[in-house]
């Protein structure tokens, strides 16, 4: 099996950034009744752009259903803020949806959702970390992406928020399963399914049996699946932790892809094997449950999958490898799953990789997003470098976009962007950790995915998100935008806005 350790947090006191980035003014889309945190609220209807302003603009090249909550053809961005104060409860957490438009992300057209929002089951709880993880997909088959939100406290369970032409509506509780829920068509029947992980409880060097469930779609609005499937195929069962309803834990699901090209989606997965060691694997989907396809050694940052070499199989990209968290490994997909032999490992010395010479421990791959930006049929790879120095500014952070080729990831034509790059709002400062999370989504509907990237440490850990437009060559800083929680009338203090992006 392949193994990797989760990254350690850097030690020592940090000075938090306090300078403002350039924001746009946002109108309220959720009714709030408290200063310094979301209190009671109701789902607000996203505010639509002025019709006259939209005239003459080309129609959106329709986004994937799984990325379009309100069905307008533009991908929408979901940002997690698990540190946000809600109803006076510190670190209760919330999520924010900023809807796409012909001009990109529209901060005036947004929704904020927490456990205190009317219609959402449960209540705001201190340190719950609602919004720590989430996934999107059309669970009920109505043509709108639904959002399943987990929490840092896995025992709190998850919540399904239902997409509609008016945005997110309602809320359905998923008790017990609160860790990194994932939506995908895992059995290949054309309906989105829901993979769930529960609270592993206390664990040490030895792995434990972590509750797991696989719900076959479509789901009803009451949260009833068409059928409950075995999580793991019987071939993976053992006498210890792996079964129809559990997996070796504590483990987390990181994303969804199709690495063996069989039309069934697979889970990109960190699986705990004991003694602090994780395997970075793909769990291959099937009607009888997941089977394990082994991934790379040395996982430490983030991971995602997409078709880097254009051969029809998604490839697993794992960041933060090596003892210094400086390497990225690509494991290429095949008809049998992840290749045990064809792999590519690189760092910032890759020929053509631009920017300042790297220092040790910059966390290449602190975030990973793998999608086709340029439209050439091969996926680009966005990589956060959240501990990268900018001149004499330690840990200012950066993000890189590298192209795919027949041979894998190439440095030719790649880009590195930070807050000192011309056209990027704001200015690089020590410990901003720009590149904490990233997501490639076509938020302006022009057919090219845009690079959305966060700094969770911006403005004393309030956090902020930047959006850079995609082109046939990569990304451009022309018309780059940024916003933070204050621009959405959302809780600011310690929100860690942008901890996760989808």
């Amino acid at each position: 099996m392949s193994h990797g350790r989760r990254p350690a947090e850097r030690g020592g006191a940090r000075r938090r950034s306090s300078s403002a980035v350039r924001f746009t003014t946002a109108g309220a889309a959720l009714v709030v009744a408290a200063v310094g945190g979301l209190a009671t609220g109701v789902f607000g209807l996203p505010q639509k752009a002025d019709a006259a302003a939209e005239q003459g603009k080309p129609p959106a090249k329709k986004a994937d259903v799984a990325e379009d909550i309100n069905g307008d053809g533009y991908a929408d961005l979901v940002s997690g803020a698990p540190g946000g104060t809600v109803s006076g409860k510190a670190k209760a957490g919330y999520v924010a949806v900023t809807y796409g438009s012909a001009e990109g992300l529209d901060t005036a057209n947004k929704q904020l959702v927490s456990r205190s929002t009317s219609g959402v089951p449960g209540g705001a709880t201190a340190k719950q970390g609602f919004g720590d993880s989430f996934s999107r997909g059309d669970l009920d088959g109505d043509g709108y992406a639904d959002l399943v939100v987990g929490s840092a406290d896995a025992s709190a369970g998850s919540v399904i928020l239902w997409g509609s032409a008016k945005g997110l509506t309602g809320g359905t509780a998923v008790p017990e399963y609160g860790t990194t829920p994932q939506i995908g068509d895992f059995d290949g029947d054309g309906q989105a399914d829901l993979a769930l992980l529960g609270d592993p409880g206390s664990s040490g060097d030895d792995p434990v049996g972590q509750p797991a469930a696989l719900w076959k779609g479509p789901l009803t609005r009451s949260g009833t699946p068409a059928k409950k499937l075995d999580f793991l195929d019987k071939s993976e069962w053992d006498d210890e932790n792996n079964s129809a309803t559990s997996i070796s834990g504590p483990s987390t699901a990181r994303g969804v892809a199709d690495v063996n090209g069989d039309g069934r989606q697979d889970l990109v997965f960190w699986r705990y094997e004991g003694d602090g060691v994780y395997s970075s694997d793909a769990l291959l989907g099937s009607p009888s449950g997941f089977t394990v396809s082994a991934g790379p050694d040395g996982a430490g940052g983030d991971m995602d999958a997409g078709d880097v070499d254009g051969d029809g199989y998604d490839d697993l990209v794992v960041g933060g490898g090596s003892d210094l968290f400086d390497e990225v490994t690509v494991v290429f997909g095949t008809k049998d799953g992840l290749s045990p032999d064809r792999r590519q490992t690189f760092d910032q010395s890759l020929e053509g990789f631009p920017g300042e010479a790297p220092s040790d421990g910059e966390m290449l791959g602190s975030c990973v997003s793998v999608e086709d930006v340029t439209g050439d049929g091969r996926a680009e790879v966005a990589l956060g470098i959240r501990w990268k120095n900018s001149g004499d500014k330690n840990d200012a952070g950066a993000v890189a976009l590298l192209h795919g080729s027949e041979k894998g990831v190439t440095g030719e034509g790649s880009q590195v962007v930070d807050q000192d790059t011309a056209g990027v709002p704001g200015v690089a400062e020590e410990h901003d950790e720009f590149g904490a999370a990233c997501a490639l989504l076509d938020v302006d509907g022009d057919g090219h995915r845009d690079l959305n990237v966060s700094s969770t440490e911006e403005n004393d850990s309030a956090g902020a998100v930047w959006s850079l437009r995609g082109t046939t060559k990569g990304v451009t800083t022309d018309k780059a935008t940024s916003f933070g929680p204050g621009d959405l009338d959302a809780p600011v203090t310690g929100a860690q806005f942008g901890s996760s992006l989808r």
Side-chain angles (χ1 to χ4, degrees):
M1 303 298 291
S2 58
H3 308 291
R5 294 182 183 271
R6 304 186 89 169
E9 291 292 332
R10 285 198 168 186
R14 293 178 177 271
R15 182 189 64 79
R16 300 304 186 190
S17 171
S18 59
S19 72
V21 295
R22 187 172 72 231
F23 296 129
T24 57
T25 302
L30 182 77
V31 178
V32 293
V35 175
L38 290 179
T40 57
V42 297
F43 277 108
L45 303 185
Q47 297 178 353
K48 300 298 181 183
D50 180 73
E54 291 294 313
Q55 288 181 358
K57 293 176 181 174
K61 294 182 179 180
K62 193 167 180 61
D64 293 342
V65 170
E67 298 172 347
D68 187 1
I69 290 171
N70 61 354
D72 64 355
Y74 301 99
D76 309 310
L77 180 68
V78 184
S79 304
T85 297
V86 178
S87 298
K89 307 293 185 180
K91 298 182 180 180
Y94 63 92
V95 295
V97 180
T98 40
Y99 288 89
S101 75
E103 298 298 330
L105 296 175
D106 183 0
T107 56
N109 188 14
K110 46 82 175 179
Q111 285 180 291
L112 309 174
V113 183
S114 74
R115 288 277 194 170
S116 283
T117 302
S118 178
V120 175
T125 303
K127 299 182 180 181
Q128 185 178 99
F130 182 76
D132 182 70
S133 62
F134 41 85
S135 181
R136 294 190 295 187
D138 185 9
L139 285 172
D140 56 358
D142 66 353
Y144 301 97
D146 309 308
L147 181 65
V148 183
V149 184
S151 297
D153 178 3
S155 64
S158 297
V159 172
I160 304 173
L161 307 169
W162 302 97
S164 75
K166 296 180 179 180
L168 293 173
T169 61
T172 302
V174 182
E176 302 178 18
Y177 299 103
T179 299
T180 59
Q182 296 292 328
I183 300 173
D185 182 11
F186 303 118
D187 60 1
D189 67 350
Q191 297 282 351
D193 311 308
L194 181 57
L196 297 163
L197 294 173
D199 185 0
S202 299
S203 61
D205 289 342
D206 295 328
V208 297
Q210 183 171 359
L214 181 55
W215 288 5
K216 178 180 174 62
L219 271 65
T220 67
R221 292 293 178 100
S222 64
T224 302
K227 186 179 180 181
K228 293 185 178 180
L229 305 175
D230 290 347
F231 188 81
L232 290 176
D233 182 85
K234 287 184 178 180
S235 63
E236 301 289 344
W237 296 4
D238 57 32
D239 294 330
E240 296 179 352
N241 301 316
N242 299 297
S243 71
T245 58
S246 66
I247 193 168
S248 175
S251 298
T252 59
R254 305 298 297 174
V256 173
D258 185 5
V259 301
N260 60 353
D262 64 355
R264 303 183 183 107
Q265 290 182 296
D266 314 312
L267 281 181
V268 178
F269 205 79
W270 267 336
R271 193 163 56 97
Y272 187 61
E273 295 192 343
D275 295 326
V277 176
Y278 287 78
S279 58
S280 299
D281 301 331
L283 301 189
L284 305 181
S286 81
S288 59
F290 293 109
T291 58
V292 177
S293 182
D297 297 334
D302 193 15
M303 58 180 170
D304 193 18
D307 190 4
V308 172
D309 58 359
D311 65 353
Y313 303 103
D314 285 341
D315 311 305
L316 180 64
V317 181
V318 181
S322 85
D323 291 340
L324 297 175
F325 310 129
D326 286 340
E327 291 182 344
V328 171
T329 297
V330 182
V331 183
F332 294 92
T334 73
K335 65 179 178 61
D336 298 316
L338 296 176
S339 172
D341 305 311
R342 187 179 174 223
R343 302 185 177 191
Q344 175 190 13
T345 298
F346 64 89
D347 57 21
Q348 292 180 72
S349 67
L350 178 71
E351 185 175 357
F353 201 115
E356 297 179 4
S359 303
D360 289 343
E362 290 191 340
M363 183 55 85
L364 179 65
S366 54
C367 69
V368 180
S369 185
V370 187
E371 298 284 357
D372 185 4
V373 174
T374 63
D376 67 352
R378 300 186 183 97
E380 272 66 46
V381 178
L383 298 171
I385 323 173
R386 69 183 298 170
W387 294 336
K388 188 172 182 64
N389 299 335
S390 179
D392 61 355
K393 305 163 193 171
N394 294 329
D395 300 348
V399 63
L401 187 73
L402 289 83
H403 297 291
S405 73
E406 290 183 4
K407 295 182 179 180
V409 175
T410 177
E412 183 178 354
S414 61
Q415 300 166 271
V416 172
V417 177
D418 63 21
Q419 289 187 71
D420 281 341
T421 301
V424 175
V427 60
E429 292 185 301
E430 285 201 353
H431 309 310
D432 271 357
E433 299 189 20
F434 182 82
C438 52
L440 293 167
L441 297 164
D442 186 11
V443 297
D444 60 3
D446 67 353
H448 298 288
R449 288 176 179 262
D450 310 302
L451 175 56
N452 304 281
V453 58
S454 70
S455 161
T456 54
E457 305 309 309
E458 182 77 24
N459 295 333
D460 294 322
S461 299
V465 170
W466 287 254
S467 188
L468 285 69
R469 296 197 170 195
T471 73
T472 57
K473 295 182 178 180
V475 295
T476 177
T477 60
D478 183 39
K479 298 183 179 179
T481 60
S482 65
F483 59 93
D487 298 280
L488 305 180
D489 296 330
V492 172
T493 303
Q496 296 264 294
F497 187 83
S499 290
S500 296
L501 299 176
R502 282 289 181 95

